Amino acid sequence: MMTTITMIPLEDFERVRKAELETNKRLDLLADMCRANALAAVKQAGSGHLGSSFSAMDIVVRLYYEEMNVPSVGLDHPDRDVYFSSKGHDVPGLYSVLFSLGLLSEEKFFKLRRFGGLDGHPDIACPGVEANSGSLGMGISKGRGIAWAKRYLRRGGRVFVMTGDGELQEGQNFEALQSAVQQGIGNLTVIVDHNKVQSDREVSRIVSLHDLKAKLAAFGWHVARCDGHDQEALARVFDQFRQIEDTPKILIADTVKGRGVSFMEHPRALQEGGGFYRWHAGAPPDGEFMEAHGEIVARINRRLAAHGLDFITLKEVPPPRKPEPFYTLEGEPESTIEKEPRFKVTDEYVSAVYGESLMDVAGRRDDVVVLDADLAADCKVRTFELTYPDRFIENGIAEQDMVSMAGGLARQGLLPVVNSFASFLASRANEQIYNNAGEQTKIIYACHYAGLIPAGPGKSHQSLRDISLFGALPNCEILQPCNGEETRMVVDYAVDVARENVMIRLIIGPSPREIRLPPGYKLKKGRGVTLADGDDAVLFAYGPVMIHEAMLASELLARKGTGLRVVNSPWLNRMDREWMMEQIRPFKHIFVVEDHAPVGGFGDFLLNELIGAGGLRSRSFAKFAVEGYPACGTPAEALRFHSLDGASLADRVLSGIRSGPAA
Amino acid sequence: MMTTITMIPLEDFERVRKAELETNKRLDLLADMCRANALAAVKQAGSGHLGSSFSAMDIVVRLYYEEMNVPSVGLDHPDRDVYFSSKGHDVPGLYSVLFSLGLLSEEKFFKLRRFGGLDGHPDIACPGVEANSGSLGMGISKGRGIAWAKRYLRRGGRVFVMTGDGELQEGQNFEALQSAVQQGIGNLTVIVDHNKVQSDREVSRIVSLHDLKAKLAAFGWHVARCDGHDQEALARVFDQFRQIEDTPKILIADTVKGRGVSFMEHPRALQEGGGFYRWHAGAPPDGEFMEAHGEIVARINRRLAAHGLDFITLKEVPPPRKPEPFYTLEGEPESTIEKEPRFKVTDEYVSAVYGESLMDVAGRRDDVVVLDADLAADCKVRTFELTYPDRFIENGIAEQDMVSMAGGLARQGLLPVVNSFASFLASRANEQIYNNAGEQTKIIYACHYAGLIPAGPGKSHQSLRDISLFGALPNCEILQPCNGEETRMVVDYAVDVARENVMIRLIIGPSPREIRLPPGYKLKKGRGVTLADGDDAVLFAYGPVMIHEAMLASELLARKGTGLRVVNSPWLNRMDREWMMEQIRPFKHIFVVEDHAPVGGFGDFLLNELIGAGGLRSRSFAKFAVEGYPACGTPAEALRFHSLDGASLADRVLSGIRSGPAA
């Protein structure tokens, strides 16, 4: 039976706003009402971040209802106050507040993480969102830019930036703290949502913030600290901040992660989770959802009654989307909500097999050291962490530091395996990677969550440039395995055989289908393997997502009498030309499908190799890639939008065969 | 008349080391002797960084002569102490100390910034150099890695990392400060060479470090502060540090930039320079060199005499290299040493014309805001800074912060022009650039010092990946002008016409030759222009350096009866296919020369366009690019090493024409 999801309609918010109530009590009520709706939206979307949406909610509500002029001047006024959250993943809370003010339609609000709806991380395409975020640590800098521009343009309005506490591990924050003081950016206020839990662990256990108040004061900021759930205390701080015009101001708001739902609140939730916080990301299962929603609604109604007001009404929202046909497993990366892993370590789950393979490697080589930047669960290195704590290095959310540290480890002869999401590792620590590579040591970079899918979190997380970001390094091999079996081979190769740096590219979700390699298949440098055969054209592909679509295209074309060979090509920048020529020999048409942008990916590499080997004489070549910014939505929505789903690929291949000019 | 350069031979160091002298007095002497030799090596090389080599010298000498076990156990012992400088550019000082200990040969020492000699920034290829550096802010992280590995491997030896003070503006330092404490890296000692001047300005005027001691203490480090030129004070601090085993230690060493040469010492030097410090980088002119060297030598001899020791001997070193035939102007970027700009704003000096063009733009558009990360002189935006201080934003050495701030400015409708060296901007702030671009605002990124030349500073500064790092952004146009005239057009286009982000790629030195554009030439999107014609093949090129080599190749081939058309192609990722097809129509052989790595540059883009337009039917295509890591040396040495000098290009074209298979 499907759980019924209900939300509090706009009319109830309008009623509470107009009711005769003491301001702070009204804000308490509104915050809980916004919590209920954020919970409903996340449940309906099937994923999203509740823990920090809830910890920040009282502050966001205070800002929008009392501090900021946005409700009166509107979202487009040049003198408007500006608020955005640097941590970004707490955007369900912001959406909920915008909805409560009539600034976001109900239809949009309940299209969270769907194509044409709301991105899983903030994007300015949504009116009311002032900055794109999702990748951490950029907010104070960007807020400083907005504030500087307001001053230069003689515009009114103040700038408020919310940050997480774990987020403060990113060094960019400290750059911004310095420059904001130097430039006297007095119209900038930062609020640290200090809920003490980052992702699924305590901040103090990951990388402590130490004496945060002293630290911030030493940077020259005006610092205040108060209970971030106490509206009276918040009012006092903001009143005081309003008087200080020449110095940037920062509030350390002591908050509780998961605030408002008893079993989601830290520290209880952390204790019940055996030291791991379950409610950072992901939609709660049905039972927990009902319990949480019920608890919030009951509290709201109790308070309404105490103030002599009517209960809220609850309106049913459309049921959550069903899993899509070829994504029978949920492909979302943020799976910390389940006590038990949602997916077993099967051959279809490359990320989990990667984690297992590292364990095997660790058993035989004690020079292998694993580095993490606060994504141990998602990167599947938690088992390693718990089993080999003496050679698991947690660096916090600080990719640059992690990568340069790996460089130092390698200089002493260790073999570091560096883990993070591809977007953050390839891009943020790019120069550090180059610096290490220049030392001719060997480091393995595991780039998780590579590619278009899952597409719910939005463009800050979808990594479609990582091949290009590693590609121009002279001494780095890039490999992407297509299934668990190949993942094992890739890890073993990287650890035991490779002489250069290796970038391992991994999708984070389970595969859309079981991809079987031929019996006896072995990983050979620069070679791949035929997974489906056909007589009319060849399509090179890599990684579980695109190989699935390629196979689907081949199956669809076979029904129409067109034969499409699908070749799995795990080596993204090394090629055995003899093997390549064998693969293309029977064909006039060569295609490649990229789980990457069209520039700087495997397709460009293959094209160079084909040209170098004379392989394009009287053959056509076409590349299907993720053009433009990646779409946010379900896997099917995103693939279809980019014409990379099996059916679209089949059409594109057919049209290429018909019209494709030979090169 | 050529200035005679002399150096102090190893025997004198051995004599002073063995002489009966009080330790601290001996170190004072040795430090000055190392200063004299560093000065000689930089003068002989024609460039290098003296100011901070001198400020750090007393500390480096103390470390190698008293604190570290390297002189006794050697450079390869696993238990050796490790020292390296995170700021890197002070490496002439380190080379000088290594030479003084007999750990670096005289021959190598006096091949500074030459091919087969010593890199302008540290590279582990030189024995005794423990880490590559040159790009700032990575050292504490890397030192932490080395120290962690020593602990894990139960190796002896401590790790000492030197940082600059301006360098502390890089956020990565603060990431490392946090994690080192969390991990209890007690065998790590950091020394801040706090000379108060970064590049050519006071740190406090760029971005103040504020209360540095309080700041570092708030991160949980054990902090000490002392005079970095007082050997007794240094001894006390290091004695104390040796007792603290569980906490990382940091010394704020108050030093004087240019220490040891009266007119190079801050604050006198800054006053005499009208607020700008002249001796950060570059070799002093003959007169100043003689004066500086004489002053140091006289002091050494006075002290030797006072101790009853013989004067030092002085040995002549080979004279400085002559300017190379087609680089009649010195192509080094670090030109702060001249009071007057070394180069006039001529058509051959694209970087200077860029600065002028910005001034013109500023006159007509007050929405144009210029951002800098402590490279105002080198990026030629100092005139803008002094003329329009209200819209010049100095961010210090903090590229991430600068770029995200630009994002905020753009969100308020301003047009930010972001400046840094290509290596640092494209790589270090890559994710911030992506984040901004996703907001669909328009920002201009000026990537200075792009390409292989000048090759003296080494691979940390030679930017050969920047096109690939910007290339996969869906909405960023990349242009590189070939001369001053085109630079103006590019700046005007970027500011007034472009609707997307624009990356402007600029070489930093003057052009090797005057490149003339045809009369009436206008910049048209996706189009370039023929600069030399010929009947046998076409060579696409961009930027002054490679166009010069391409023209040279064409001239050399013409003598041999082979006609090579040279096409200037300033658009590196936008193409007018009609124009392209016109350019290639008469030819069977298409070549492209890259001032970039072979992957992800203009060549790959052109190849895609050719394939897309059917342009490679029965035509050959070959790409000449900078393969592997860029060579360090003079322009001619580096170009020759990579077979990208005119003569090599001519040979490669000829061999391509003869054997090149059609695609």
Side-chain angles (χ1 to χ4, degrees):
Chain A
M1 205 189 83
M2 195 69 81
T3 305
T4 303
I5 301 173
T6 58
M7 50 89 64
I8 304 171
L10 185 58
E11 300 79 50
D12 273 325
F13 285 95
E14 283 167 351
R15 182 166 62 90
V16 171
R17 284 168 68 188
K18 286 177 195 152
E20 284 191 16
L21 270 175
E22 191 200 319
T23 299
N24 293 334
K25 295 211 186 306
R26 189 201 320 280
L27 296 182
D28 285 338
L29 248 175
L30 288 166
D32 263 345
M33 291 165 70
C34 288
R35 282 189 179 96
N37 278 354
L39 175 63
V42 165
K43 178 62 182 169
Q44 199 254 6
S47 76
H49 296 73
L50 289 172
S52 62
S53 288
F54 285 1
S55 63
M57 188 64 89
D58 294 301
I59 299 158
V60 180
V61 163
R62 164 140 234 120
L63 289 174
Y64 275 89
Y65 279 87
E66 290 298 319
E67 277 299 308
M68 289 166 54
N69 62 6
V70 171
S72 56
V73 305
L75 296 175
D76 296 316
H77 198 288
D79 292 333
R80 73 183 181 278
D81 294 317
V82 168
Y83 164 81
F84 68 90
S85 173
S86 179
K87 56 186 155 120
H89 54 249
D90 59 0
V91 75
L94 175 64
Y95 292 148
S96 191
V97 173
L98 291 174
F99 167 77
S100 79
L101 287 161
L103 297 170
L104 180 68
S105 74
E106 185 180 317
E107 191 205 342
K108 274 264 185 196
F109 185 28
F110 284 92
K111 251 185 128 179
L112 178 59
R113 293 184 171 227
R114 292 296 303 267
F115 185 74
L118 296 172
D119 279 23
H121 287 84
D123 192 286
I124 56 152
C126 170
V129 172
E130 295 277 6
N132 287 18
S133 56
S135 179
L136 298 173
M138 302 182 190
I140 307 181
S141 304
K142 196 175 275 188
R144 178 168 68 93
I146 295 173
W148 190 97
K150 277 183 172 292
R151 189 172 70 181
Y152 174 72
L153 295 165
R154 297 171 195 280
R155 286 181 183 163
R158 290 174 295 160
V159 181
F160 298 90
V161 178
M162 178 84 73
T163 78
D165 46 9
E167 183 183 13
L168 292 183
Q169 288 154 0
E170 283 286 4
Q172 186 179 349
N173 290 295
F174 298 101
E175 298 179 354
L177 290 175
Q178 291 167 159
S179 52
V181 168
Q182 185 83 10
Q183 296 160 0
I185 310 290
N187 52 346
L188 175 63
T189 298
V190 173
I191 303 123
V192 182
D193 177 17
H194 193 13
N195 63 28
K196 283 85 178 174
V197 180
Q198 61 184 111
S199 185
D200 58 359
R201 299 291 280 272
E202 283 162 293
V203 175
S204 59
R205 281 189 63 169
I206 298 286
V207 171
S208 168
L209 300 180
H210 236 263
D211 189 343
L212 183 57
K213 198 168 176 183
K215 200 185 276 189
L216 297 169
F219 278 84
W221 282 55
H222 179 86
V223 191
R225 184 162 192 162
C226 79
D227 178 346
H229 303 303
D230 178 343
Q231 291 293 351
E232 280 182 36
L234 288 169
R236 279 194 300 274
V237 168
F238 286 118
D239 284 348
Q240 181 205 13
F241 278 5
R242 222 174 288 116
Q243 314 307 316
I244 299 160
E245 289 183 356
D246 53 349
T247 307
K249 297 156 280 278
I250 190 161
L251 166 62
I252 303 168
D254 287 298
T255 58
V256 173
K257 193 151 179 177
R259 172 73 171 201
V261 174
S262 51
F263 64 87
M264 289 187 182
E265 288 191 359
H266 168 65
R268 177 181 154 187
L270 207 67
Q271 283 153 6
E272 288 179 358
F276 298 103
Y277 186 83
R278 288 172 60 202
W279 313 100
H280 174 68
D286 291 354
E288 282 90 340
F289 165 72
M290 295 301 284
E291 195 182 333
H293 200 258
E295 180 182 327
I296 302 172
V297 167
R299 188 169 56 240
I300 293 167
N301 282 336
R302 265 201 316 277
R303 288 184 184 170
L304 285 169
H307 301 313
L309 297 169
D310 289 345
F311 282 5
I312 48 166
T313 45
L314 284 174
K315 184 177 158 185
E316 202 166 318
V317 297
R321 62 182 161 85
K322 286 186 210 153
E324 291 171 6
F326 49 86
Y327 279 92
T328 48
L329 301 170
E330 279 283 289
E332 302 294 336
E334 301 122 350
S335 54
T336 46
I337 234 162
E338 305 293 331
K339 261 188 182 166
E340 298 301 315
R342 209 187 308 195
F343 311 112
K344 294 194 185 138
V345 177
T346 67
D347 201 48
E348 290 81 65
Y349 198 19
V350 298
S351 181
V353 174
Y354 163 81
E356 273 204 343
S357 304
L358 272 190
M359 290 296 296
D360 294 345
V361 160
R364 65 174 190 271
R365 283 189 59 162
D366 56 12
D367 60 333
V368 170
V369 176
V370 170
L371 291 90
D372 172 54
D374 192 28
L375 288 169
D378 287 328
C379 297
K380 300 287 175 284
V381 292
R382 176 124 303 148
T383 312
F384 190 103
E385 174 184 6
L386 299 174
T387 314
Y388 299 103
D390 63 322
R391 49 193 166 119
F392 175 86
I393 305 178
E394 178 56 63
N395 302 277
I397 307 168
E399 297 78 11
Q400 301 193 337
D401 180 47
M402 170 170 67
V403 168
S404 290
M405 186 197 193
L409 299 172
R411 283 283 296 149
Q412 288 282 312
L414 296 175
L415 177 53
V417 184
V418 181
N419 294 272
S420 189
F421 286 175
S423 283
F424 311 150
L425 184 51
S427 179
R428 189 150 211 149
N430 192 280
E431 203 187 10
Q432 288 73 15
I433 292 167
Y434 173 76
N435 173 274
N436 289 347
E439 293 181 336
Q440 309 291 340
T441 51
K442 174 174 150 185
I443 297 176
I444 298 171
Y445 297 98
C447 287
H448 299 262
Y449 194 167
L452 180 66
I453 305 300
K459 64 169 81 75
S460 62
H461 284 59
Q462 291 161 287
S463 183
L464 296 161
R465 304 189 304 126
D466 51 280
I467 304 176
S468 80
L469 293 172
F470 272 86
L473 289 173
N475 52 342
C476 184
E477 299 170 358
I478 308 175
L479 290 106
Q480 178 160 4
C482 74
N483 68 5
E485 188 185 348
E486 199 169 46
T487 301
R488 263 180 208 289
M489 296 177 195
V490 166
V491 171
D492 287 346
Y493 168 81
V495 170
D496 295 325
V497 183
R499 305 182 67 168
E500 305 180 286
N501 297 286
V502 181
M503 190 272 250
I504 304 179
R505 199 170 191 257
L506 294 164
I507 65 160
I508 195 161
S511 300
R513 73 159 74 188
E514 188 185 344
I515 294 164
R516 285 176 201 256
L517 292 162
Y521 170 73
K522 287 204 175 88
L523 191 74
K524 281 191 201 144
K525 190 149 177 176
R527 292 183 167 221
V529 63
T530 299
L531 296 180
D533 219 340
D535 296 332
D536 298 299
V538 57
L539 172 59
F540 288 85
Y542 55 91
V545 169
M546 291 308 169
I547 286 180
H548 165 73
E549 302 301 334
M551 300 286 277
L552 204 59
S554 180
E555 288 152 14
L556 289 168
L557 285 170
R559 286 191 216 157
K560 296 183 186 177
T562 299
L564 178 65
R565 175 182 288 185
V566 175
V567 175
N568 165 41
S569 210
W571 300 84
L572 303 188
N573 68 341
R574 294 292 182 267
M575 185 61 81
D576 178 331
R577 285 196 182 170
E578 198 181 314
W579 170 81
M580 176 184 77
M581 292 306 284
E582 270 169 40
Q583 294 303 312
I584 64 165
R585 192 157 293 131
F587 305 105
K588 291 254 166 256
H589 304 281
I590 303 169
F591 301 97
V592 57
V593 56
E594 295 266 14
D595 198 4
H596 192 269
V599 176
F602 172 66
D604 282 358
F605 170 70
L606 179 63
L607 177 55
N608 274 282
E609 291 296 311
L610 287 166
I611 290 286
L616 285 192
R617 274 178 222 142
S618 65
R619 287 194 183 89
S620 78
F621 175 89
K623 179 167 61 175
F624 310 132
V626 182
E627 304 276 346
Y629 283 96
C632 175
T634 67
E637 285 172 343
L639 287 162
R640 213 172 299 127
F641 175 79
H642 291 287
S643 302
L644 293 170
D645 60 298
S648 300
L649 286 180
D651 289 348
R652 295 171 83 177
V653 165
L654 216 48
S655 122
I657 290 175
R658 282 183 192 143
S659 67
Chain B
M1 205 192 82
M2 194 72 77
T3 306
T4 303
I5 302 174
T6 57
M7 49 92 62
I8 305 171
L10 185 58
E11 300 77 54
D12 274 324
F13 285 95
E14 284 166 353
R15 179 166 63 90
V16 170
R17 283 168 68 188
K18 286 177 196 152
E20 282 192 19
L21 270 175
E22 190 199 321
T23 300
N24 293 332
K25 295 212 186 306
R26 188 201 322 277
L27 296 182
D28 286 339
L29 248 176
L30 288 167
D32 263 346
M33 289 166 71
C34 287
R35 282 189 180 95
N37 278 354
L39 175 63
V42 165
K43 177 63 182 170
Q44 200 255 4
S47 77
H49 295 74
L50 289 173
S52 61
S53 288
F54 285 1
S55 63
M57 188 64 90
D58 295 300
I59 299 159
V60 179
V61 164
R62 163 138 233 119
L63 288 174
Y64 276 88
Y65 279 86
E66 289 298 320
E67 278 299 308
M68 290 166 54
N69 62 5
V70 170
S72 55
V73 305
L75 296 175
D76 295 316
H77 198 287
D79 292 335
R80 73 184 181 276
D81 295 317
V82 168
Y83 165 81
F84 66 93
S85 172
S86 179
K87 56 185 155 118
H89 54 250
D90 59 1
V91 75
L94 174 64
Y95 293 147
S96 191
V97 174
L98 291 175
F99 167 77
S100 78
L101 286 160
L103 297 169
L104 180 68
S105 74
E106 185 180 319
E107 191 205 343
K108 274 265 184 194
F109 185 29
F110 284 92
K111 250 186 130 181
L112 179 59
R113 294 183 171 228
R114 290 297 301 266
F115 186 74
L118 296 171
D119 278 24
H121 287 84
D123 192 286
I124 56 150
C126 169
V129 172
E130 294 278 6
N132 287 18
S133 56
S135 179
L136 298 173
M138 301 181 190
I140 307 182
S141 304
K142 194 174 276 188
R144 179 169 68 91
I146 295 172
W148 190 98
K150 277 184 171 291
R151 190 172 69 181
Y152 174 71
L153 295 165
R154 298 171 195 278
R155 287 182 182 162
R158 291 173 295 160
V159 181
F160 299 88
V161 178
M162 177 84 73
T163 77
D165 46 9
E167 183 183 13
L168 291 183
Q169 289 155 358
E170 283 287 4
Q172 185 179 350
N173 291 295
F174 298 101
E175 298 179 354
L177 290 175
Q178 292 168 159
S179 52
V181 168
Q182 185 82 11
Q183 296 161 1
I185 311 290
N187 51 346
L188 176 63
T189 297
V190 174
I191 303 121
V192 182
D193 177 18
H194 193 15
N195 63 28
K196 283 86 175 174
V197 180
Q198 59 184 113
S199 185
D200 58 359
R201 299 291 279 275
E202 283 162 292
V203 175
S204 60
R205 282 188 63 168
I206 299 285
V207 171
S208 169
L209 300 181
H210 236 264
D211 188 343
L212 184 56
K213 197 168 178 183
K215 200 185 275 188
L216 298 169
F219 277 84
W221 282 56
H222 178 86
V223 192
R225 183 162 191 161
C226 79
D227 179 346
H229 304 302
D230 178 343
Q231 291 293 353
E232 280 182 36
L234 288 169
R236 278 194 299 274
V237 168
F238 286 118
D239 284 347
Q240 180 205 13
F241 278 6
R242 223 174 289 115
Q243 314 307 317
I244 299 160
E245 289 183 355
D246 52 349
T247 306
K249 298 156 278 278
I250 190 161
L251 166 63
I252 303 168
D254 288 299
T255 58
V256 172
K257 194 154 179 174
R259 172 74 172 201
V261 174
S262 52
F263 63 86
M264 290 186 181
E265 288 192 359
H266 166 65
R268 176 180 154 188
L270 208 67
Q271 283 154 7
E272 289 180 359
F276 298 102
Y277 185 83
R278 288 171 61 201
W279 312 101
H280 174 69
D286 291 354
E288 281 90 340
F289 165 73
M290 296 300 286
E291 194 182 333
H293 200 258
E295 181 183 327
I296 301 172
V297 168
R299 188 169 56 240
I300 293 166
N301 282 336
R302 266 201 315 276
R303 289 185 183 169
L304 286 170
H307 300 314
L309 297 170
D310 289 345
F311 283 4
I312 48 167
T313 44
L314 283 173
K315 183 176 158 187
E316 201 167 321
V317 298
R321 62 181 160 87
K322 287 185 208 155
E324 291 172 7
F326 49 87
Y327 279 93
T328 47
L329 301 169
E330 279 283 287
E332 301 295 334
E334 299 121 352
S335 53
T336 47
I337 235 163
E338 305 294 330
K339 260 189 182 165
E340 298 302 315
R342 207 187 310 195
F343 311 113
K344 292 192 187 144
V345 178
T346 66
D347 200 48
E348 291 82 65
Y349 198 19
V350 297
S351 181
V353 175
Y354 163 82
E356 272 205 343
S357 304
L358 271 191
M359 290 296 295
D360 295 344
V361 161
R364 66 177 190 271
R365 284 188 58 162
D366 56 13
D367 60 335
V368 171
V369 176
V370 170
L371 291 90
D372 173 52
D374 191 29
L375 288 169
D378 286 328
C379 296
K380 300 287 174 285
V381 293
R382 176 123 302 149
T383 312
F384 189 105
E385 174 184 6
L386 299 173
T387 315
Y388 299 103
D390 62 324
R391 49 193 166 115
F392 174 85
I393 305 178
E394 178 55 63
N395 301 276
I397 307 168
E399 296 79 11
Q400 301 193 338
D401 181 46
M402 170 170 68
V403 167
S404 290
M405 187 198 192
L409 299 172
R411 283 283 297 148
Q412 288 282 311
L414 297 174
L415 178 53
V417 184
V418 180
N419 294 273
S420 189
F421 285 175
S423 282
F424 311 150
L425 184 51
S427 179
R428 189 149 210 149
N430 192 281
E431 201 187 12
Q432 288 73 14
I433 292 167
Y434 173 78
N435 173 275
N436 288 347
E439 293 182 335
Q440 309 292 336
T441 50
K442 175 174 150 184
I443 297 174
I444 298 171
Y445 297 97
C447 287
H448 300 262
Y449 195 168
L452 179 66
I453 305 299
K459 64 169 81 75
S460 62
H461 284 59
Q462 291 161 288
S463 184
L464 296 162
R465 303 189 305 127
D466 52 280
I467 305 176
S468 81
L469 293 173
F470 273 86
L473 288 174
N475 53 341
C476 184
E477 299 170 357
I478 308 174
L479 289 105
Q480 178 159 3
C482 73
N483 67 6
E485 187 185 349
E486 200 169 48
T487 301
R488 264 181 208 290
M489 295 177 195
V490 166
V491 171
D492 288 347
Y493 167 82
V495 170
D496 295 325
V497 183
R499 305 183 66 170
E500 305 180 287
N501 298 287
V502 181
M503 189 270 251
I504 304 178
R505 198 170 192 258
L506 295 164
I507 65 161
I508 197 161
S511 300
R513 74 159 75 188
E514 188 184 345
I515 295 165
R516 284 177 203 257
L517 291 162
Y521 169 73
K522 287 204 176 87
L523 190 74
K524 279 189 200 147
K525 189 148 177 176
R527 291 184 167 221
V529 64
T530 299
L531 296 180
D533 220 339
D535 295 332
D536 297 299
V538 57
L539 172 60
F540 289 86
Y542 55 91
V545 170
M546 291 308 169
I547 286 180
H548 166 74
E549 302 302 335
M551 301 285 278
L552 204 59
S554 179
E555 289 152 14
L556 290 169
L557 285 170
R559 287 190 216 156
K560 297 183 185 176
T562 299
L564 178 65
R565 176 181 288 185
V566 175
V567 176
N568 164 42
S569 210
W571 300 84
L572 304 188
N573 68 342
R574 296 292 183 267
M575 186 59 82
D576 179 330
R577 285 195 182 172
E578 198 181 314
W579 171 81
M580 176 184 76
M581 292 307 284
E582 270 170 41
Q583 295 303 313
I584 65 165
R585 191 156 296 131
F587 305 106
K588 291 255 166 255
H589 305 281
I590 304 169
F591 301 96
V592 57
V593 56
E594 295 267 14
D595 197 3
H596 192 270
V599 176
F602 171 66
D604 282 358
F605 170 71
L606 179 64
L607 178 54
N608 273 281
E609 291 295 310
L610 287 166
I611 290 287
L616 284 193
R617 274 179 222 141
S618 63
R619 285 194 184 90
S620 77
F621 176 88
K623 181 166 61 174
F624 309 132
V626 183
E627 305 275 349
Y629 284 95
C632 175
T634 67
E637 285 173 342
L639 287 161
R640 213 173 298 128
F641 175 80
H642 291 287
S643 302
L644 293 171
D645 59 297
S648 299
L649 285 180
D651 288 347
R652 296 171 83 178
V653 164
L654 216 47
S655 121
I657 289 174
R658 280 182 193 144
S659 65

